[in-house]
mmCIF file of all heavy atoms in Angstrom:
data_model
loop_
_atom_site.group_PDB
_atom_site.id
_atom_site.type_symbol
_atom_site.label_atom_id
_atom_site.label_comp_id
_atom_site.label_asym_id
_atom_site.label_seq_id
_atom_site.Cartn_x
_atom_site.Cartn_y
_atom_site.Cartn_z
ATOM 1 N N VAL A 546 0.840 -1.192 0.000
ATOM 2 C CA VAL A 546 0.000 0.000 0.000
ATOM 3 C C VAL A 546 0.874 1.241 0.000
ATOM 4 O O VAL A 546 1.394 1.640 1.042
ATOM 5 C CB VAL A 546 -0.943 0.032 1.223
ATOM 6 C CG1 VAL A 546 -1.848 1.260 1.161
ATOM 7 C CG2 VAL A 546 -1.768 -1.244 1.289
ATOM 8 N N PRO A 547 1.084 1.869 -1.176
ATOM 9 C CA PRO A 547 1.859 3.106 -1.184
ATOM 10 C C PRO A 547 1.174 4.174 -0.345
ATOM 11 O O PRO A 547 -0.037 4.297 -0.365
ATOM 12 C CB PRO A 547 1.885 3.499 -2.677
ATOM 13 C CG PRO A 547 1.543 2.246 -3.408
ATOM 14 C CD PRO A 547 0.653 1.463 -2.496
ATOM 15 N N GLU A 548 1.954 4.929 0.394
ATOM 16 C CA GLU A 548 1.381 5.971 1.215
ATOM 17 C C GLU A 548 1.036 7.182 0.373
ATOM 18 O O GLU A 548 1.689 7.496 -0.608
ATOM 19 C CB GLU A 548 2.375 6.391 2.307
ATOM 20 C CG GLU A 548 2.666 5.296 3.323
ATOM 21 C CD GLU A 548 3.602 5.793 4.409
ATOM 22 O OE1 GLU A 548 4.037 6.958 4.301
ATOM 23 O OE2 GLU A 548 3.879 5.033 5.329
ATOM 24 N N ALA A 549 -0.040 7.855 0.786
ATOM 25 C CA ALA A 549 -0.418 9.088 0.117
ATOM 26 C C ALA A 549 0.637 10.146 0.391
ATOM 27 O O ALA A 549 1.247 10.163 1.454
ATOM 28 C CB ALA A 549 -1.776 9.570 0.620
ATOM 29 N N PRO A 550 0.877 11.022 -0.598
ATOM 30 C CA PRO A 550 1.826 12.114 -0.351
ATOM 31 C C PRO A 550 1.390 12.936 0.845
ATOM 32 O O PRO A 550 0.209 13.229 1.011
ATOM 33 C CB PRO A 550 1.764 12.935 -1.644
ATOM 34 C CG PRO A 550 1.232 11.982 -2.673
ATOM 35 C CD PRO A 550 0.322 11.052 -1.924
ATOM 36 N N ALA A 551 2.342 13.280 1.700
ATOM 37 C CA ALA A 551 2.015 14.037 2.903
ATOM 38 C C ALA A 551 1.704 15.475 2.558
ATOM 39 O O ALA A 551 2.388 16.104 1.757
ATOM 40 C CB ALA A 551 3.185 13.985 3.880
ATOM 41 N N ALA A 552 0.633 15.992 3.133
ATOM 42 C CA ALA A 552 0.275 17.381 2.919
ATOM 43 C C ALA A 552 1.187 18.270 3.750
ATOM 44 O O ALA A 552 1.667 17.893 4.809
ATOM 45 C CB ALA A 552 -1.184 17.614 3.298
ATOM 46 N N ALA A 553 1.415 19.450 3.251
ATOM 47 C CA ALA A 553 2.231 20.392 4.003
ATOM 48 C C ALA A 553 1.524 20.781 5.287
ATOM 49 O O ALA A 553 0.304 20.862 5.356
ATOM 50 C CB ALA A 553 2.483 21.637 3.150
ATOM 51 N N GLY A 554 2.297 21.006 6.330
ATOM 52 C CA GLY A 554 1.721 21.369 7.616
ATOM 53 C C GLY A 554 1.047 22.724 7.574
ATOM 54 O O GLY A 554 1.403 23.594 6.793
ATOM 55 N N ASP A 555 0.023 22.895 8.409
ATOM 56 C CA ASP A 555 -0.695 24.154 8.466
ATOM 57 C C ASP A 555 0.067 25.112 9.359
ATOM 58 O O ASP A 555 0.032 25.021 10.574
ATOM 59 C CB ASP A 555 -2.108 23.918 9.008
ATOM 60 C CG ASP A 555 -2.944 25.186 8.955
ATOM 61 O OD1 ASP A 555 -2.402 26.225 8.545
ATOM 62 O OD2 ASP A 555 -4.125 25.129 9.328
ATOM 63 N N GLU A 556 0.754 26.028 8.729
ATOM 64 C CA GLU A 556 1.558 26.993 9.458
ATOM 65 C C GLU A 556 0.766 28.252 9.793
ATOM 66 O O GLU A 556 1.279 29.174 10.397
ATOM 67 C CB GLU A 556 2.782 27.378 8.601
ATOM 68 C CG GLU A 556 3.606 26.190 8.154
ATOM 69 C CD GLU A 556 4.491 25.656 9.241
ATOM 70 O OE1 GLU A 556 4.884 26.451 10.092
ATOM 71 O OE2 GLU A 556 4.778 24.453 9.237
ATOM 72 N N GLY A 557 -0.498 28.297 9.319
ATOM 73 C CA GLY A 557 -1.275 29.516 9.504
ATOM 74 C C GLY A 557 -0.976 30.500 8.398
ATOM 75 O O GLY A 557 -0.201 30.239 7.487
ATOM 76 N N PHE A 558 -1.595 31.650 8.452
ATOM 77 C CA PHE A 558 -1.446 32.654 7.409
ATOM 78 C C PHE A 558 -0.897 33.934 7.999
ATOM 79 O O PHE A 558 -1.224 34.322 9.111
ATOM 80 C CB PHE A 558 -2.805 32.948 6.748
ATOM 81 C CG PHE A 558 -3.324 31.801 5.947
ATOM 82 C CD1 PHE A 558 -4.076 30.795 6.552
ATOM 83 C CD2 PHE A 558 -3.048 31.704 4.600
ATOM 84 C CE1 PHE A 558 -4.555 29.746 5.810
ATOM 85 C CE2 PHE A 558 -3.522 30.657 3.853
ATOM 86 C CZ PHE A 558 -4.274 29.669 4.451
ATOM 87 N N THR A 559 -0.067 34.598 7.226
ATOM 88 C CA THR A 559 0.415 35.920 7.622
ATOM 89 C C THR A 559 -0.638 36.939 7.238
ATOM 90 O O THR A 559 -1.077 36.993 6.090
ATOM 91 C CB THR A 559 1.731 36.249 6.904
ATOM 92 O OG1 THR A 559 2.692 35.260 7.244
ATOM 93 C CG2 THR A 559 2.235 37.628 7.309
ATOM 94 N N GLU A 560 -1.055 37.741 8.207
ATOM 95 C CA GLU A 560 -2.091 38.722 7.939
ATOM 96 C C GLU A 560 -1.595 39.751 6.933
ATOM 97 O O GLU A 560 -0.447 40.183 6.962
ATOM 98 C CB GLU A 560 -2.493 39.434 9.238
ATOM 99 C CG GLU A 560 -3.240 38.533 10.219
ATOM 100 C CD GLU A 560 -4.653 38.219 9.748
ATOM 101 O OE1 GLU A 560 -5.118 38.867 8.797
ATOM 102 O OE2 GLU A 560 -5.282 37.329 10.332
ATOM 103 N N ILE A 561 -2.466 40.141 6.007
ATOM 104 C CA ILE A 561 -2.148 41.195 5.063
ATOM 105 C C ILE A 561 -2.199 42.523 5.784
ATOM 106 O O ILE A 561 -3.128 42.801 6.536
ATOM 107 C CB ILE A 561 -3.158 41.193 3.901
ATOM 108 C CG1 ILE A 561 -3.038 39.882 3.114
ATOM 109 C CG2 ILE A 561 -2.954 42.391 2.990
ATOM 110 C CD1 ILE A 561 -4.035 39.756 2.011
ATOM 111 N N SER A 562 -1.204 43.361 5.601
ATOM 112 C CA SER A 562 -1.162 44.645 6.278
ATOM 113 C C SER A 562 -0.857 45.740 5.280
ATOM 114 O O SER A 562 -0.411 45.485 4.167
ATOM 115 C CB SER A 562 -0.100 44.643 7.391
ATOM 116 O OG SER A 562 1.182 44.403 6.836
ATOM 117 N N GLY A 563 -1.111 46.971 5.693
ATOM 118 C CA GLY A 563 -0.875 48.109 4.822
ATOM 119 C C GLY A 563 -2.131 48.526 4.103
ATOM 120 O O GLY A 563 -3.103 47.782 4.025
ATOM 121 N N SER A 564 -2.129 49.717 3.568
ATOM 122 C CA SER A 564 -3.310 50.231 2.893
ATOM 123 C C SER A 564 -3.363 49.736 1.463
ATOM 124 O O SER A 564 -2.351 49.443 0.843
ATOM 125 C CB SER A 564 -3.304 51.766 2.911
ATOM 126 O OG SER A 564 -2.168 52.247 2.210
ATOM 127 N N VAL A 565 -4.590 49.631 0.939
ATOM 128 C CA VAL A 565 -4.814 49.175 -0.428
ATOM 129 C C VAL A 565 -5.742 50.161 -1.103
ATOM 130 O O VAL A 565 -6.750 50.570 -0.526
ATOM 131 C CB VAL A 565 -5.446 47.763 -0.442
ATOM 132 C CG1 VAL A 565 -5.665 47.298 -1.861
ATOM 133 C CG2 VAL A 565 -4.558 46.779 0.301
ATOM 134 N N ASP A 566 -5.416 50.548 -2.320
ATOM 135 C CA ASP A 566 -6.269 51.455 -3.057
ATOM 136 C C ASP A 566 -7.585 50.771 -3.346
ATOM 137 O O ASP A 566 -7.639 49.762 -4.033
ATOM 138 C CB ASP A 566 -5.567 51.862 -4.360
ATOM 139 C CG ASP A 566 -6.372 52.887 -5.151
ATOM 140 O OD1 ASP A 566 -7.450 53.268 -4.679
ATOM 141 O OD2 ASP A 566 -5.896 53.303 -6.226
ATOM 142 N N GLY A 567 -8.683 51.337 -2.830
ATOM 143 C CA GLY A 567 -9.990 50.710 -2.995
ATOM 144 C C GLY A 567 -10.735 51.167 -4.217
ATOM 145 O O GLY A 567 -11.907 50.853 -4.378
ATOM 146 N N ASP A 568 -10.135 51.928 -5.106
ATOM 147 C CA ASP A 568 -10.809 52.403 -6.302
ATOM 148 C C ASP A 568 -11.134 51.219 -7.205
ATOM 149 O O ASP A 568 -10.249 50.572 -7.747
ATOM 150 C CB ASP A 568 -9.900 53.387 -7.041
ATOM 151 C CG ASP A 568 -10.557 53.966 -8.293
ATOM 152 O OD1 ASP A 568 -11.731 53.605 -8.547
ATOM 153 O OD2 ASP A 568 -9.899 54.754 -8.997
ATOM 154 N N SER A 569 -12.449 50.954 -7.383
ATOM 155 C CA SER A 569 -12.853 49.786 -8.166
ATOM 156 C C SER A 569 -12.486 49.937 -9.633
ATOM 157 O O SER A 569 -12.459 48.960 -10.375
ATOM 158 C CB SER A 569 -14.363 49.558 -8.028
ATOM 159 O OG SER A 569 -15.073 50.689 -8.530
ATOM 160 N N GLU A 570 -12.215 51.166 -10.059
ATOM 161 C CA GLU A 570 -11.856 51.370 -11.451
ATOM 162 C C GLU A 570 -10.348 51.269 -11.671
ATOM 163 O O GLU A 570 -9.871 51.340 -12.791
ATOM 164 C CB GLU A 570 -12.331 52.762 -11.904
ATOM 165 C CG GLU A 570 -13.842 52.956 -11.830
ATOM 166 C CD GLU A 570 -14.583 51.980 -12.722
ATOM 167 O OE1 GLU A 570 -14.100 51.741 -13.840
ATOM 168 O OE2 GLU A 570 -15.623 51.447 -12.291
ATOM 169 N N GLY A 571 -9.604 51.119 -10.563
ATOM 170 C CA GLY A 571 -8.154 51.052 -10.672
ATOM 171 C C GLY A 571 -7.694 49.727 -11.228
ATOM 172 O O GLY A 571 -8.446 48.765 -11.305
ATOM 173 N N SER A 572 -6.436 49.646 -11.640
ATOM 174 C CA SER A 572 -5.880 48.418 -12.184
ATOM 175 C C SER A 572 -5.339 47.547 -11.056
ATOM 176 O O SER A 572 -5.059 48.037 -9.965
ATOM 177 C CB SER A 572 -4.767 48.743 -13.181
ATOM 178 O OG SER A 572 -3.714 49.430 -12.532
ATOM 179 N N TYR A 573 -5.204 46.273 -11.328
ATOM 180 C CA TYR A 573 -4.630 45.344 -10.369
ATOM 181 C C TYR A 573 -3.965 44.210 -11.134
ATOM 182 O O TYR A 573 -4.243 43.983 -12.310
ATOM 183 C CB TYR A 573 -5.699 44.788 -9.417
ATOM 184 C CG TYR A 573 -6.822 44.055 -10.110
ATOM 185 C CD1 TYR A 573 -6.746 42.689 -10.352
ATOM 186 C CD2 TYR A 573 -7.975 44.723 -10.532
ATOM 187 C CE1 TYR A 573 -7.763 42.002 -10.992
ATOM 188 C CE2 TYR A 573 -9.001 44.055 -11.171
ATOM 189 C CZ TYR A 573 -8.898 42.697 -11.398
ATOM 190 O OH TYR A 573 -9.898 42.029 -12.037
ATOM 191 N N SER A 574 -3.077 43.517 -10.446
ATOM 192 C CA SER A 574 -2.320 42.446 -11.077
ATOM 193 C C SER A 574 -3.110 41.152 -11.053
ATOM 194 O O SER A 574 -3.839 40.865 -10.101
ATOM 195 C CB SER A 574 -0.979 42.241 -10.356
ATOM 196 O OG SER A 574 -0.180 43.404 -10.449
ATOM 197 N N SER A 575 -2.953 40.362 -12.094
ATOM 198 C CA SER A 575 -3.553 39.031 -12.136
ATOM 199 C C SER A 575 -2.438 38.005 -12.269
ATOM 200 O O SER A 575 -1.266 38.344 -12.334
ATOM 201 C CB SER A 575 -4.530 38.923 -13.316
ATOM 202 O OG SER A 575 -3.859 39.181 -14.537
#
């Protein structure tokens, strides 16, 4: 029985900080 690949550990998420331009007509990266 081959073992399933191990999932990466849950390290949590780094909170996003800083201001973001909220102009809905502005450009953003994809």
